[in-house]
Amino acid sequence: MLQEITNDTAEPTFYVFAFSTSENERIIIITAVLLIYLLILSGNLLIISLICLEPQLHTSMYFFLCNLSTLDIVYVSTTLPKLIYISHTGDHVMSYTACLAQLYFYILFVDTECFLLTTMAIDRYVAICFPLHYSLIMSKQVCVLLAFPAWFMASVNASIATCYVHNLTFYGLVEVRNFFCDIKAQISASISDTTFLRTFIIVDALFVGVIPSSLIFTSYVCIIYTVLKIKSSHGRWKTFSSCSSHITIVVVYFGSVISLYLTNSLEQDLVLSMMFVTLVPMLNPLVYSLRNKDIIRALRRIIHTKISCLL
């Protein structure tokens, strides 16, 4: 079967491994991935709806959170529906164009998430270190000017990386040892000299990973220094707790990235890739709703208003 696909296809075709399982395990995987996908969609749509409907949430912090929730929805929609389709039909074959498109959007959304988390750290830094000037500094115009480069730089970076992969040579049926077309799998499968592309990835990791994480770390060093100057222990805890949701997401995100790119095992790659794709988008609405009093109050007000209208 695989040989027939190889011989009959002029353009390279990608065979996505996904999870090779028995029939019963396949049903479990489809159900689990579908539930995770629906949970991510519903949770992040709830966050977006609350921020849009509640005027008191129209601040810079929630503007960036709305961006993050929107990003998480499109991010998981790049990979999970295709994984469900593969698991349901058993059709592991992807066209060359579809694979490149998936790669582009995956890089775009991963990089944007990294930049947005950095922007949110800067927002927390301004809120805690310059509270009296917070609303003046973080105006609507400034928020847009901070959010737009995150999407733009990620788009440029994704375009460059996809162009480099497009120039690689593949032969016949290309095995992608993951559940989506990631760049690591395509480099391993190419018969071209990938030295330049590997170098680009290292340089790109400095730009997308090291610099943003350094800015986040520096922001929190300044935040901790400011918090420690607060005399009241209750005041210190209350001030720092406003950052707890963001810290949780940052630790999970960067921890997943480091774990993913340190492993060379196919089985570990699949599991860690699934965690990386789903964990942050799934945790984001849970962390920000359960630990955020503003979100909870907004939800209660909207529910109370709807009930009053019905009665």
Side-chain angles (χ1 to χ4, degrees):
M1 175 62 181
L2 298 184
Q3 189 64 39
E4 288 176 6
I5 296 174
T6 304
N7 292 339
D8 295 339
T9 309
E11 190 179 70
T13 304
F14 292 87
Y15 184 88
V16 182
F17 267 64
F19 296 93
S20 299
T21 59
S22 65
E23 181 67 23
N24 290 336
E25 291 172 333
R26 188 169 61 85
I27 294 172
I28 293 172
I29 288 174
I30 293 171
T31 305
V33 173
L34 181 59
L35 288 175
I36 290 171
Y37 184 54
L38 292 175
L39 178 63
I40 292 170
L41 288 184
S42 57
N44 283 287
L45 282 172
L46 176 62
I47 294 289
I48 295 169
S49 301
L50 288 174
I51 293 172
C52 292
L53 293 173
E54 185 57 51
Q56 292 186 5
L57 298 181
H58 292 177
T59 63
S60 60
M61 174 183 173
Y62 295 106
F63 170 79
F64 294 125
L65 178 57
C66 189
N67 267 266
L68 187 63
S69 292
T70 303
L71 173 65
D72 286 340
I73 289 172
V74 292
Y75 172 39
V76 295
S77 297
T78 304
T79 54
L80 295 191
K82 183 62 178 178
L83 174 59
I84 294 170
Y85 173 81
I86 290 173
S87 301
H88 176 65
T89 63
D91 181 8
H92 292 251
V93 176
M94 284 184 70
S95 69
Y96 180 64
T97 304
C99 202
L100 284 181
Q102 190 180 57
L103 174 67
Y104 170 79
F105 286 112
Y106 174 76
I107 296 174
L108 168 64
F109 299 139
V110 167
D111 289 0
T112 305
E113 182 126 15
C114 189
F115 293 140
L116 277 179
L117 289 174
T118 306
T119 305
M120 293 173 77
I122 295 171
D123 175 74
R124 292 296 83 210
Y125 161 73
V126 175
I128 293 174
C129 298
F130 304 97
L132 298 178
H133 303 286
Y134 176 61
S135 58
L136 182 64
I137 295 173
M138 300 302 292
S139 63
K140 290 181 180 180
Q141 292 80 6
V142 171
C143 290
V144 172
L145 288 174
L146 286 173
F148 175 75
W151 290 89
F152 178 75
M153 289 188 297
S155 177
V156 171
N157 189 54
S159 299
I160 294 172
T162 306
C163 285
Y164 280 136
V165 173
H166 177 66
N167 290 328
L168 295 178
T169 302
F170 299 97
Y171 176 76
L173 188 67
V174 182
E175 294 182 350
V176 176
R177 295 181 173 272
N178 212 321
F179 66 88
F180 65 98
C181 289
D182 74 324
I183 198 164
K184 276 179 63 179
Q186 295 195 46
I187 288 175
S188 301
S190 174
I191 60 174
S192 301
D193 180 6
T194 58
T195 305
F196 183 80
L197 183 55
R198 291 177 188 274
T199 305
F200 168 78
I201 291 173
I202 294 172
V203 174
D204 184 60
L206 294 174
F207 173 66
V208 179
V210 176
I211 294 176
S213 59
S214 299
L215 287 172
I216 293 172
F217 178 76
T218 304
S219 297
Y220 275 106
V221 168
C222 296
I223 288 170
I224 291 171
Y225 177 74
T226 301
V227 168
L228 290 176
K229 291 194 293 184
I230 300 173
K231 295 180 181 180
S232 165
S233 59
H234 175 72
R236 287 196 297 267
W237 169 249
K238 184 178 179 181
T239 303
F240 193 72
S241 64
S242 65
C243 304
S244 58
S245 298
H246 180 257
I247 292 173
T248 302
I249 297 299
V250 167
V251 170
V252 172
Y253 179 82
F254 284 100
S256 301
V257 171
I258 293 169
S259 300
L260 179 61
Y261 284 94
L262 285 179
T263 180
N264 291 314
S265 164
L266 172 59
E267 291 76 15
Q268 289 179 346
D269 249 9
L270 285 169
V271 174
L272 290 172
S273 293
M274 176 59 72
M275 289 178 62
F276 180 63
V277 168
T278 61
L279 205 53
V280 170
M282 188 166 54
L283 281 178
N284 177 37
L286 294 174
V287 168
Y288 275 99
S289 59
L290 294 177
R291 299 175 65 92
N292 191 300
K293 293 180 180 178
D294 292 336
I295 293 288
I296 293 173
R297 279 196 293 264
L299 181 59
R300 285 174 179 171
R301 274 195 295 269
I302 290 174
I303 292 174
H304 178 72
T305 302
K306 294 296 182 183
I307 292 174
S308 299
C309 291
L310 291 173
L311 295 177

